[in-house]
Structures are given as structure tokens and as C-alpha cells.
Amino acid sequence: MSIRKIDSLEGHNQRLREIIDYQRKALECLFDISKSLSSTSEFDSILKKTIERILPVLDAQSGVVWLLEQDTLKKCWEVFECKEIGCKAYQNPEVKCWSISNPHCGEAGNDGLESRIGKCISCEVFRGAMLNTAITIGMTPEIIEPPFLVIGEGMCKDVIMRHPEISVFHIFPAEEGVECYRQVEWISDETPSKKPTMIPGNYCFLETSISNPKTRIGIVLMTQKKLFGILCIALDRAHYLTKNEMNLLINIARLTAISIENAELYCLAERRYQQIRTLLKEAHHRIKNNLQTIAGLFSMQLHDNQDPRIEGLLHDNLTRVKSISMVHHLLSQEDLKDVNLSSLINKILEMIIDVTGSKGRIIFEVYGDGIEIPSRRATSLALIINELAMNSVKHGITDSGRIAVRIQRENGQIQLDFHDNGKGLPQNFNKNLGLQIVSTLVEEDLRGTFRLSNNKGTLARIDFKE
């Protein structure tokens, strides 16, 4: 074999090694970006990780992201003096006209933003909006970036219009300032030495003189529903983009745009959740206050009443209202939908002993598993504990005694044992009104079972599914 053929074969093998090495870096880059973008919902982190991973693949010097400044966007219903109240974008700052499938202004069809960006970018609503610098990595003093970009002007418009899909500019030193050319053809990895087709281009960076050629790459960050901004990569040398590099950058830009969109949706959901949380807490707080007002009226009637029978009825209803009020108090202070069962029972027993004047005469203990229950069940259990406690104080413990409540969870079942060491159940025992209320609440609201037995006092056992 001749030396020339050996050299040619070696050169070919070297090129194959370079292509394989690049493909490995590209796959690692896509994997790292996909992994990192799916693990965060913070804008700055998403943009930073994207630039950090893409720079080594292209051996680039720096990167910058411009994001759409929302305050510079005009409102479509104001621009067109629109009165279409049925339009999703009408007087809704969170919905933009280009994000919906068929706005009433007729400027767009049923396709996504990517396919109708040409119409949108010439629209007054969209055209004058600005992009501001969001994050920069590796920028050096000799790279002078503009303070902002306008969507409908110059290179920014070309990048967003994606003609071609990626805007690549090569800047060369000239006798007077710089000369800029735009790459409109992507070179093949098999023929890297071939110079691509280029045309004179408008350049957005502000360098007026350079000592060596440079390359700038601009890619739009956009999804089917929203334009987010532009990603720019700077190289301190002339680098003609290949087809594989173009495809890599397009995929990275799509991944980044989708991640930004997901992060925005997450932030919106979180904001709405906090709003709902605040409203529900306020609702529980107001319900608690209203119930306390009713309890206050019962207390006033108790003081004015001289009939023992009516006094007993008022007293029973007073504790019932206070028990329900306790549930809403916990919901207004803690979680919106779940209540800690042990905490609820403790507070109700404290209230019962205080209201009945049993402090020092009756002690209580609540122990067992820590269980959270939904608000609806919490209301039923509050009334159940109220009735059982009132029954123990009024009929079970005649002098002094102890109440113990055990809570345990097993195999998807919750078991609640309410035990007092009073005199126990009498012979021929019939359930009074309070215990009838307990039976109804357990069977109908909790779909459980309720049993009473003598066990060194009275034991009430309640079983229900978690």
C-alpha cells in the first residue's frame, strides 16, 4: 500500500474518531440537560444548566439568554378595542392571544404558535415587545452585548422567524470595523473542510473592531403556546455549523423551552394553590368565629336559665358547637384538608373538662399512632369524642377518675378506644341521645362499627376504614 493511501486512510480514521467523539459528547449533553431540566422548576437554574452543558460541546466561549419582558407586551383586547368577553384572553393577564387556538381577532388559526409566528410577529400586540438579558456565562469585556432586543426588529426578528432554523453569524476583521456574514447552509460532518454558503448579514452585538474571526449562534426558545426568548452562543473563532450540531442545538432549545413552560405552569399552580389555601383558611377562621358566637349565645342563655332540664340541653349543645368549632380552628391554623386526630381529641377533652368544671377531678391521656384525617371525618370524630366525653363526665365518673383514648392503625383500619374508669354500664342499659348520635355518626359518616362494653369502667370501641 502506498504512503499516500496510508495517509488518506489514517486521515479518514481520524475523522471517524472525531465524529464518534462528537456524537458521544452530544448524547451526553442531551442526557445531562434532560436530566437536570426535569429535576428543577427554577428559571435561573434551567437556563444556567443549559448553557453550562452546551458550551463544552461546541468549545464555545460564552452564552447568554434573553427572555421576553412580560411588561412590554400589549394587551390584545386594548389594542383592538375588543369586546369579545367569550375569548380566553379577554381581560386575562395570564392568557396571551397567541397561546390559544382560535382568538376572536382572527389573527391566528388553530395551529400552534410555531406555525403562525409570522403573523404574530407583525401584529402590534407582539411586535414591540422586548427581550432582556436573563443570564450570562463566560462573557468577557470585549464581547459587548446590547442591553435589550426588540422582537420585531433586526436579527432578533430573523431568529424568532427561524429562517433558517438557527441563525449563525460569522464576524471577520475588516479594514474599517467588521464584516458579518450569515451561514445559510450546514456543512456535512464527512466534509468539514468545505466552506458553507454565506450571505451578508446584520449583526446584533456591538463590537466595532475585532482581532480574529468570531461566530455567534442564535436559537429561539419557543413552544407551541409561548415564546420565551433567545439563546445565544459565542465562539472566539470562526466555526461553521454542521448538520449534526444544528440538530443538537434545536433539540436542546426545544427541551429548554418545554422546561421553562413547565416551570411557569408549576409556579402558576403553586400561586393558585396558595391563593386557595389562604381563602380556605380564612373560610375556616370565619366559620370558627361564627360557631363561637353561637356558643356565646348558649352561654348567655345558660346564665339566665333556671330550668335544670333546659340547662342540660343548652350545655350539651354548647359543647357540640365548641367541638365543631375546634375542627375549624385546627384547619385554619394547620393544613387545609387534614387534621391531626390526637391533637383534635386532646383539645376537645380539655374543653369538656373546662366547661364542666371537672379540672382536677378528671385527668385524661391520648396516645397511639399519629394519624391525619380529612376535615369531613374530623367533624364527625369531634362530635363523637364530645358525646363520649360528656357521657363519661356526667354518668360514668362520679367522683374522680381517668379517661384514656388509644388510637391505632392496622391493615388499613383505624381503631379508637375510649375508656373511662367510672362505674361502667348499668344492667338493662339503653343508649341515651348522646350515644345514639355516636352510633349514627360512626355507621353513616365513618362507615364503621361502634361497640360498648364494661372493662373496669366503660370501653367504647370504634373501628373504621382509613
Side-chain angles (χ1 to χ4, degrees):
M1 185 180 293
S2 67
I3 294 176
R4 182 177 297 176
K5 288 184 178 180
I6 293 174
D7 289 343
S8 175
L9 184 60
E10 181 60 32
H12 180 71
N13 289 338
Q14 176 63 27
R15 183 57 190 157
L16 282 176
R17 285 194 291 270
E18 291 174 356
I19 292 173
I20 292 171
D21 184 58
Y22 168 78
Q23 296 285 5
R24 178 182 58 78
K25 287 183 179 179
L27 288 172
E28 289 176 352
C29 177
L30 281 173
F31 175 78
D32 288 344
I33 288 177
S34 300
K35 182 179 178 182
S36 61
L37 295 185
S38 62
S39 64
T40 182
S41 59
E42 298 178 359
F43 296 133
D44 290 347
S45 180
I46 290 172
L47 300 176
K48 184 172 182 288
K49 288 179 179 179
T50 297
I51 296 175
E52 285 177 344
R53 281 160 175 77
I54 201 173
L55 293 184
V57 177
L58 295 175
D59 194 19
Q61 177 187 11
S62 59
V64 58
V65 173
W66 281 279
L67 289 182
L68 180 61
E69 183 61 46
Q70 297 293 327
D71 292 341
T72 64
L73 289 167
K74 295 182 179 180
K75 300 175 178 63
C76 58
W77 69 85
E78 292 179 348
V79 170
F80 300 113
E81 298 181 354
C82 177
K83 302 298 181 183
E84 294 285 352
I85 60 175
C87 178
K88 293 180 181 178
Y90 182 69
Q91 294 192 349
N92 187 346
E94 293 181 352
V95 178
K96 308 303 180 186
C97 52
W98 56 83
S99 68
I100 57 181
S101 59
N102 190 21
H104 287 265
C105 63
E107 289 295 322
N110 293 320
D111 298 327
L113 177 61
E114 289 182 335
S115 62
R116 64 182 195 241
I117 190 66
K119 290 182 179 180
C120 289
I121 206 168
S122 61
C123 175
E124 187 179 348
V125 173
F126 203 89
R127 185 173 58 240
M130 293 191 300
L131 302 170
N132 287 334
T133 304
I135 189 168
T136 60
I137 293 179
M139 301 297 281
T140 56
E142 66 271 13
I143 301 178
I144 307 171
E145 60 179 85
F148 61 86
L149 302 175
V150 179
I151 284 180
E153 297 179 2
M155 192 200 81
C156 183
K157 181 178 180 180
D158 292 339
V159 173
I160 293 172
M161 290 286 290
R162 300 196 306 179
H163 298 304
E165 289 192 270
I166 293 182
S167 295
V168 182
F169 296 90
H170 305 290
I171 308 97
F172 301 94
E175 291 184 3
E176 295 183 3
V178 298
E179 291 181 349
C180 179
Y181 295 91
R182 184 171 183 173
Q183 183 177 338
V184 293
E185 177 189 25
W186 317 118
I187 63 175
S188 169
D189 288 278
E190 284 72 29
T191 56
S193 58
K194 179 184 176 183
K195 194 172 182 179
T197 302
M198 295 190 294
I199 60 174
N202 295 320
Y203 175 52
C204 77
F205 281 76
L206 305 180
E207 297 104 322
T208 56
S209 64
I210 55 175
S211 57
N212 60 285
K214 299 178 184 292
T215 295
R216 302 288 184 263
I217 303 170
I219 324 160
V220 67
L221 300 175
M222 182 167 59
T223 64
Q224 283 290 329
K225 290 188 175 181
K226 194 165 186 179
L227 169 69
F228 296 101
I230 293 176
L231 165 65
C232 290
I233 305 296
L235 293 84
D236 57 359
R237 68 190 192 285
H239 176 76
Y240 302 123
L241 213 65
T242 67
K243 291 179 181 178
N244 284 337
E245 289 171 335
M246 179 201 68
N247 289 327
L248 173 65
L249 292 175
I250 289 173
N251 286 323
I252 288 175
R254 286 173 178 166
L255 280 173
T256 304
I258 291 171
S259 298
I260 296 173
E261 186 172 55
N262 289 340
E264 281 197 345
L265 291 172
Y266 174 83
C267 291
L268 178 61
E270 180 68 20
R271 186 164 63 251
R272 287 179 175 172
Y273 168 75
Q274 291 301 332
Q275 291 171 347
I276 293 171
R277 182 184 178 89
T278 302
L279 289 172
L280 285 176
K281 280 194 171 187
E282 179 62 22
H284 287 303
H285 181 71
R286 292 186 181 188
I287 292 170
K288 179 203 73 172
N289 288 344
N290 290 336
L291 289 171
Q292 286 180 340
T293 300
I294 296 172
L297 293 174
F298 281 139
S299 296
M300 290 172 61
Q301 289 178 323
L302 274 170
H303 285 103
D304 295 338
N305 178 71
Q306 302 299 323
D307 187 332
R309 187 178 64 85
I310 294 176
E311 181 180 350
L313 291 173
L314 289 172
H315 208 280
D316 289 346
N317 286 326
L318 171 64
T319 60
R320 287 166 185 151
V321 170
K322 284 193 171 184
S323 294
I324 298 172
S325 173
M326 199 72 67
V327 174
H328 290 285
H329 172 71
L330 290 175
L331 287 168
S332 69
Q333 297 296 317
E334 299 175 7
D335 197 78
L336 289 175
K337 60 179 182 178
D338 293 332
V339 174
N340 183 276
L341 185 54
S342 296
S343 177
L344 175 63
I345 294 173
N346 269 293
K347 290 182 181 297
I348 290 174
L349 291 177
E350 286 176 3
M351 182 268 295
I352 295 292
I353 287 175
D354 181 61
V355 168
T356 57
S358 302
K359 186 172 285 189
R361 183 173 73 86
I362 298 175
I363 60 174
F364 68 87
E365 179 186 10
V366 181
Y367 61 98
D369 298 334
I371 296 174
E372 303 288 323
I373 55 172
S375 57
R376 181 174 178 179
R377 284 188 160 190
T379 301
S380 298
L381 283 162
L383 285 171
I384 289 167
I385 296 298
N386 176 84
E387 299 302 329
L388 293 174
M390 287 296 294
N391 213 59
S392 293
V393 172
K394 290 168 64 176
H395 308 295
I397 302 172
T398 55
D399 186 13
S400 63
R402 175 177 178 271
I403 293 173
V405 182
R406 186 189 68 168
I407 308 164
Q408 65 179 5
R409 173 196 286 125
E410 186 174 353
N411 299 325
Q413 288 280 123
I414 294 176
Q415 184 179 89
L416 189 151
D417 285 345
F418 186 101
H419 181 261
D420 69 51
N421 63 349
K423 60 184 181 181
L425 300 172
Q427 290 183 346
N428 302 319
F429 168 73
N430 290 316
K431 291 179 181 177
N432 57 25
L433 176 62
L435 293 177
Q436 289 175 19
I437 290 174
V438 172
S439 293
T440 301
L441 290 171
V442 171
E443 293 169 6
E444 294 186 5
D445 285 14
L446 301 181
R447 304 292 187 210
T449 59
F450 170 54
R451 289 169 288 175
L452 282 171
S453 62
N454 282 317
N455 183 6
K456 296 180 181 179
T458 303
L459 172 65
R461 173 162 291 177
I462 298 167
D463 292 281
F464 59 95
K465 287 185 179 181
E466 193 171 357

